[in-house]
Amino acid sequence: TLRLVCTTTAVQRKNAGASGPEKYTEAFIKKQIEEFNLGKRHLANMMGEDPETFTQEDIDRAIAYLFPSGLFDKQARPLMKHPTEVFPEQRKIQWGEDGRPFHFLFYTGKQSYYSLMHETYEKLLNVQKHQDQLIAQDLPLPNEKRNLAGNRWLTKIELEEMLVEKVSDEDYSRFIRLLQKLVALPCTDIEEKYIQKFSKEVPAQLQKVVIEPLQYDEQGVAFSTGEGKRKTASATAVVYDNGTGKITVNGIDILHYFPVLQDREQLLFPFQFLGRIGKHDMVCTVSGGGRSAQAGAIRLASAKALRSFVTEKEVEFMRQAGLLTDDPRVKERKKPGQEGPRRKFTWKKR
Amino acid sequence: DDKLLTEPLKHPDFFNVKELFTLKDLFDARVHLGHKKGCRHRFMEPYIFGCRLDQDIIDLDQTMQHLQLALNFTAHVAYRGGIILFVSRKRQFCHLVESTARACGEYAHTRFWQGGLLTNAHVQFGPGVRLPDLLVFLSTLNNVFEPHVAIRDAAKVNIPTVGVVDTNCNPCLITYPIPGNDDSPAAVELYCKLFRMTIIRAKDRRRQSEAVEELR
């Protein structure tokens, strides 16, 4: 056996397969799992609950009760989780007793990444062969185009997690280019399953937000509610159909509640945008904030209520016009050493 | 165990590698075609048969001898359970070489060669690594038409090398050079086939001899 002569710890690169106290052998992890399960049962007995049905949430609550900690960082507080979550996945020793490595690309250094490239290239060759066969038999090539809009490739971090190995930026971009090349060929149906391992769905923004259906009151008039916030003001708006364009705020007509034209314009903007000025009635309640903040809050609330009356395309138009976004601007705090949030004290030369 | 290891060394061609290829096979696979006269390396002149219309033609008789020696050596290494590493930096044949290595049960490296792979292995891989016992080059040059770093490193770490040297390559540091074409797909497929057959043959022979020894 070779001895490591004059190497400092700084020189030794942290690498998988290197033995030392950081390495977690399989036996060690198994022991940790057994200890965790035993500890879970002890904890359940201590809390007076059934050991069989003691879930991870119960464990977290029990630990927070038994070991209260005022530390700010959540990750610094006492923790009891399953060892597979605590100890990161690491590579075990890559070669057998006789010294021969298990993987045929071991000597390249990045075996998982290069074997992935090898497999993907093999799929590419298969697809090309299939295409050649179809051309040889004079059969028509399938012209279905994949839906590129709803899918994204794996990110670099997700790929690193999948391979349990570090991937550099250029390697990652190379892999993505190879996948794109594979997808660009006409007959990719054979390798769909393989490609789906590396693509994820990205639902469009609108699909996440559920638009509530219209509700009907006693006279059969359709109405819908919306809520909105702006600075410290919060508002709820109820928009009724078959109306004359009357708007009431906290029981008062808008002409009296908002004497300033600018605020009334803000209220009317969603209706003007959709072209429904004289068609809806609105009753709103608002509290908090100032004149302009209340106007903004009611505008947002009414826009959200109007979503139920209108088609999906128009909802997308409203979203792009900025009618449906919460305004995140709040009053900035004053900093010490300055007169206001941005204004510094007067600078005197002497 | 001793007899298993010494028995093959008594015969000049224990694994009968001569029957795997003929001169006609080499000619059909276009192994004799070299590069143009301007690309010729000085140390390849003994292996060149002649020059036609500025293109060098490699002497296939010498190729036969060298190929037989090289295949015999790989067979012996495989028989004794050695690690064989296929190296090639040609992008067209990367997939082919890797598949050949996988089929034999040996190892391949057709990607970017990290500097300290052989010389700094214990730091890169971890203490207790076993280095390859033979390096097989399907192409001695890298993508910049310079001699591959692995030739020099293998010589430093005392690892024997077998390599296919073309007319623009330097055969100096390679223990068993094989003068021949390394650019045509037909030639490279022929080499892969020959190496694969020798290694599988040697391993099967080893398993047979071990079974025979156990029966006694």
Side-chain angles (χ1 to χ4, degrees), chain A residues 62-133:
Chain A
I63 297 288
Y65 172 72
L66 291 169
F67 302 99
S69 150
L71 294 171
F72 183 76
D73 194 356
K74 304 275 192 261
Q75 286 170 333
R77 297 185 185 179
L79 179 82
M80 182 163 166
K81 286 217 177 336
H82 194 85
T84 41
E85 292 170 43
V86 172
F87 297 105
E89 251 193 70
Q90 270 189 351
R91 298 271 215 64
K92 303 125 202 163
I93 302 232
Q94 307 281 354
W95 51 87
E97 271 179 18
D98 56 350
R100 290 186 78 108
F102 297 129
H103 200 277
F104 77 109
L105 289 175
F106 169 74
Y107 286 106
T108 53
K110 308 177 202 169
Q111 65 177 46
S112 343
Y113 169 72
Y114 284 133
S115 78
L116 184 73
M117 293 291 276
H118 180 79
E119 267 179 43
T120 320
Y121 192 70
E122 210 174 303
K123 304 290 179 200
L124 191 90
L125 289 177
N126 274 347
V127 168
Q128 281 177 345
K129 212 169 71 171
H130 189 242
Q131 198 183 344
D132 291 337
Q133 280 173 356

Side-chain angles (χ1 to χ4, degrees), chain A residues 62-238:
Chain A
I63 297 288
Y65 172 72
L66 291 169
F67 302 99
S69 150
L71 294 171
F72 183 76
D73 194 356
K74 304 275 192 261
Q75 286 170 333
R77 297 185 185 179
L79 179 82
M80 182 163 166
K81 286 217 177 336
H82 194 85
T84 41
E85 292 170 43
V86 172
F87 297 105
E89 251 193 70
Q90 270 189 351
R91 298 271 215 64
K92 303 125 202 163
I93 302 232
Q94 307 281 354
W95 51 87
E97 271 179 18
D98 56 350
R100 290 186 78 108
F102 297 129
H103 200 277
F104 77 109
L105 289 175
F106 169 74
Y107 286 106
T108 53
K110 308 177 202 169
Q111 65 177 46
S112 343
Y113 169 72
Y114 284 133
S115 78
L116 184 73
M117 293 291 276
H118 180 79
E119 267 179 43
T120 320
Y121 192 70
E122 210 174 303
K123 304 290 179 200
L124 191 90
L125 289 177
N126 274 347
V127 168
Q128 281 177 345
K129 212 169 71 171
H130 189 242
Q131 198 183 344
D132 291 337
Q133 280 173 356
L134 286 183
I135 293 176
Q137 293 164 13
D138 281 329
L139 289 168
L141 297 168
N143 250 336
E144 300 151 19
K145 287 217 170 134
R146 299 175 92 246
N147 183 16
L148 299 160
N151 296 324
R152 66 165 173 93
W153 296 117
L154 282 188
T155 55
K156 191 177 114 150
I157 302 167
E158 283 165 4
L159 190 67
E160 280 186 358
E161 272 173 50
M162 205 170 105
L163 300 178
V164 193
E165 189 181 63
K166 283 230 184 320
V167 176
S168 79
D169 288 328
E170 299 115 11
D171 290 339
Y172 172 71
S173 54
R174 257 206 182 161
F175 176 60
I176 297 296
R177 262 182 283 153
L178 186 60
L179 280 177
Q180 282 165 350
K181 197 174 164 184
L182 176 59
V183 161
L185 295 175
C187 323
T188 39
D189 305 321
I190 324 158
E191 313 298 346
E192 266 308 314
K193 258 193 239 170
Y194 186 75
I195 299 171
Q196 267 161 22
K197 272 193 244 171
F198 305 107
S199 70
K200 284 206 172 163
E201 281 211 359
V202 176
Q205 281 290 330
L206 269 184
Q207 286 164 12
K208 278 190 211 154
V209 181
V210 176
I211 304 174
E212 284 157 11
L214 292 170
Q215 295 157 33
Y216 293 89
D217 71 355
E218 297 102 25
Q219 277 104 38
V221 179
F223 73 94
S224 118
T225 35
E227 282 173 7
K229 275 203 197 144
R230 172 86 216 274
K231 273 198 198 167
T232 343
S234 57
T236 36
V238 185

Side-chain angles (χ1 to χ4, degrees), chain A residues 2 4 7 11-13 15-19 95 98-110 114 117-119 121-122 125 174, chain B residues 81-85 91 95 98-99 101-102 105-112 114 117 122-132 203:
Chain A
L2 289 167
L4 278 169
T7 45
V11 166
Q12 278 174 3
R13 222 186 289 177
N15 204 312
S19 58
W95 51 87
D98 56 350
R100 290 186 78 108
F102 297 129
H103 200 277
F104 77 109
L105 289 175
F106 169 74
Y107 286 106
T108 53
K110 308 177 202 169
Y114 284 133
M117 293 291 276
H118 180 79
E119 267 179 43
Y121 192 70
E122 210 174 303
L125 289 177
R174 257 206 182 161
Chain B
I83 297 180
I84 301 182
L85 186 63
R91 223 180 114 98
H95 185 83
E98 285 181 345
S99 335
R102 206 184 349 186
E106 298 295 341
Y107 307 86
H109 185 110
T110 54
R111 311 284 177 166
F112 179 73
Q114 279 169 321
L117 244 176
H122 292 280
V123 164
Q124 281 204 339
F125 294 117
V129 195
R130 190 175 147 186
L131 288 179
K203 287 187 174 170

Side-chain angles (χ1 to χ4, degrees), chain A residues 23-37:
Chain A
K23 266 298 294 168
Y24 310 125
T25 48
E26 279 200 58
F28 174 79
I29 299 224
K30 263 194 209 162
K31 212 180 88 172
Q32 291 291 317
I33 295 177
E34 280 166 20
E35 281 181 15
F36 172 78
N37 286 327

Side-chain angles (χ1 to χ4, degrees), chain A residues 176-333:
Chain A
I176 297 296
R177 262 182 283 153
L178 186 60
L179 280 177
Q180 282 165 350
K181 197 174 164 184
L182 176 59
V183 161
L185 295 175
C187 323
T188 39
D189 305 321
I190 324 158
E191 313 298 346
E192 266 308 314
K193 258 193 239 170
Y194 186 75
I195 299 171
Q196 267 161 22
K197 272 193 244 171
F198 305 107
S199 70
K200 284 206 172 163
E201 281 211 359
V202 176
Q205 281 290 330
L206 269 184
Q207 286 164 12
K208 278 190 211 154
V209 181
V210 176
I211 304 174
E212 284 157 11
L214 292 170
Q215 295 157 33
Y216 293 89
D217 71 355
E218 297 102 25
Q219 277 104 38
V221 179
F223 73 94
S224 118
T225 35
E227 282 173 7
K229 275 203 197 144
R230 172 86 216 274
K231 273 198 198 167
T232 343
S234 57
T236 36
V238 185
V239 177
Y240 291 93
D241 209 357
N242 299 338
T244 44
K246 227 172 46 168
I247 304 179
T248 314
V249 183
N250 283 355
I252 308 170
D253 191 38
I254 52 163
L255 264 179
H256 300 293
Y257 197 85
F258 290 119
V260 182
L261 175 68
Q262 178 197 335
D263 304 334
R264 290 196 295 260
E265 260 188 2
Q266 286 285 296
L267 289 205
L268 286 174
F269 180 39
F271 300 98
Q272 182 226 342
F273 184 79
L274 297 167
R276 290 169 179 238
I277 294 187
K279 297 181 191 164
H280 290 288
D281 262 350
M282 189 158 75
V283 175
C284 1
T285 44
V286 66
S287 64
R291 178 202 85 200
S292 194
Q294 284 186 344
I298 302 174
R299 181 183 112 171
L300 181 60
S302 59
K304 284 194 177 166
L306 278 172
R307 273 186 314 198
S308 326
F309 287 93
V310 140
T311 57
E312 272 195 29
K313 256 193 178 177
E314 298 209 291
V315 175
E316 179 63 26
F317 287 148
M318 279 217 290
R319 186 187 75 89
Q320 288 192 355
L323 275 168
L324 298 176
T325 5
D326 298 328
D327 203 333
R329 298 178 289 178
V330 274
K331 199 160 180 173
E332 205 175 309
R333 73 160 266 200

